[in-house]
Each structure stands twice: as C-alpha cells, then as structure tokens.
Amino acid sequence: MNFKHTKLNLFLVLASLAFLFSPYTASAAITKFQPNLKQEIVYFVETNDLAGLKQGLVDLNLHLREEGRSKKQPIKVVIHGSGVKFFKKVGIDPDLEYMLIWFQDERIDVSVCEGCLLEHGVDRNSLVAGLHVWKSGIPIAPSQRK
C-alpha cells in the first residue's frame, strides 16, 4: 500500500469519526443509476449542507471500495441541490478539495448539475478546476433566483 492511499484511509477514518461524534446532523442522499454494464455508473449526491456533502462523498468512497469497482467502467458523481455552492474556487473547504482531487486521481468524474447551478445562482466560472457540468436534459425551473 503506498503512502497516498494510507493518508487517504487515515483521513477517511478521522472524517468518519468526526462526523459520528459531531453535534450537527449531516444528511445527504446518494442515488446510483446504472442503465447497463457497458455504460457509465452515475451516482447522484444531493445535500444542502457541507457536513452532509462531505459525509456523502466519504460514504460513496467506502461503497466504491467495498464493491471492488472495475477501473474499466466509467464512474460519474453528480452533485445536486444547493450543495453545488460548496465547489466555488474562493473559500472551498480544504477537506472537500482533497476529496475532489482524490476522486479525480481515481478517474472518477465529478460534476455539478447545471440546473442546480442556475437555481442557486452559482456561476460555472466560479467553480474549482476539474469539475464538469452535468447536463441532465431535465429542465429545472429556478425557484431561488431573484
């Protein structure tokens, strides 16, 4: 096991313990969509708070490790809801940035929902490098825009 994976495992254990004993309630919904084995697997992570987003990504990472995923099958993670606002270049949480880099190193594509960017007033140019924009084809009416 190389040093990079050891560091990640230690981080994941500490992050899990921090969330377990945290006084805050973290919540995130993760949905897996797999049309067939020849296509990519898409995980949708929807949350409204930073703690829920980080816990959702930690849980997703643990799930992928337990499943023994194939490196040949493309995997996407799509962030939905107001959680898209946590991926701005300015002020990104260091733990979240570390997780994003780890997913990218593992060849897991991380995207944010285009409709959610519009709904929550997040400019795509303000996002951290390496994120993609997910065009779902489902129109989302901006309910939060003023």
Side-chain angles (χ1 to χ4, degrees):
M1 181 180 284
N2 66 30
F3 178 72
K4 187 176 184 180
H5 289 281
T6 303
K7 184 177 175 183
L8 176 64
N9 288 337
L10 178 61
F11 169 77
L12 291 175
V13 168
L14 292 176
S16 296
L17 289 174
F19 288 117
L20 182 63
F21 295 107
S22 171
Y24 301 104
T25 303
S27 64
I30 300 173
T31 307
K32 180 180 179 182
F33 176 71
Q34 184 178 4
N36 69 44
L37 293 177
K38 293 182 181 178
Q39 295 182 358
E40 64 193 9
I41 298 173
V42 181
Y43 290 91
F44 297 94
V45 179
E46 184 170 353
T47 184
N48 295 320
D49 62 270
L50 181 59
L53 178 59
K54 292 194 301 188
Q55 186 61 51
L57 292 175
V58 166
D59 292 345
L60 178 56
N61 174 47
L62 293 173
H63 168 73
L64 290 171
R65 288 175 179 271
E66 289 175 9
E67 290 264 321
R69 76 178 186 92
S70 167
K71 297 280 187 182
K72 294 179 182 178
Q73 189 167 33
I75 295 178
K76 287 188 183 279
V77 175
V78 181
I79 309 299
H80 276 272
S82 64
V84 298
K85 66 186 174 195
F86 299 116
F87 287 96
K88 291 181 183 179
K89 288 179 224 177
V90 177
I92 187 168
D93 179 83
D95 294 337
L96 187 59
E97 185 175 33
Y98 179 83
M99 288 184 223
L100 179 61
I101 291 168
W102 182 86
F103 276 111
Q104 291 169 345
D105 286 347
E106 289 293 313
R107 297 180 160 210
I108 297 171
D109 179 52
V110 181
S111 301
V112 291
C113 170
E114 182 178 45
C116 296
L117 289 175
L118 290 171
E119 183 173 353
H120 297 285
V122 177
D123 180 9
R124 68 174 47 202
N125 295 322
S126 70
L127 298 173
V128 296
L131 277 178
H132 298 102
V133 176
W134 174 266
K135 295 183 182 195
S136 66
I138 301 170
I140 299 174
S143 60
Q144 304 291 328
R145 294 173 92 191
K146 296 182 185 198

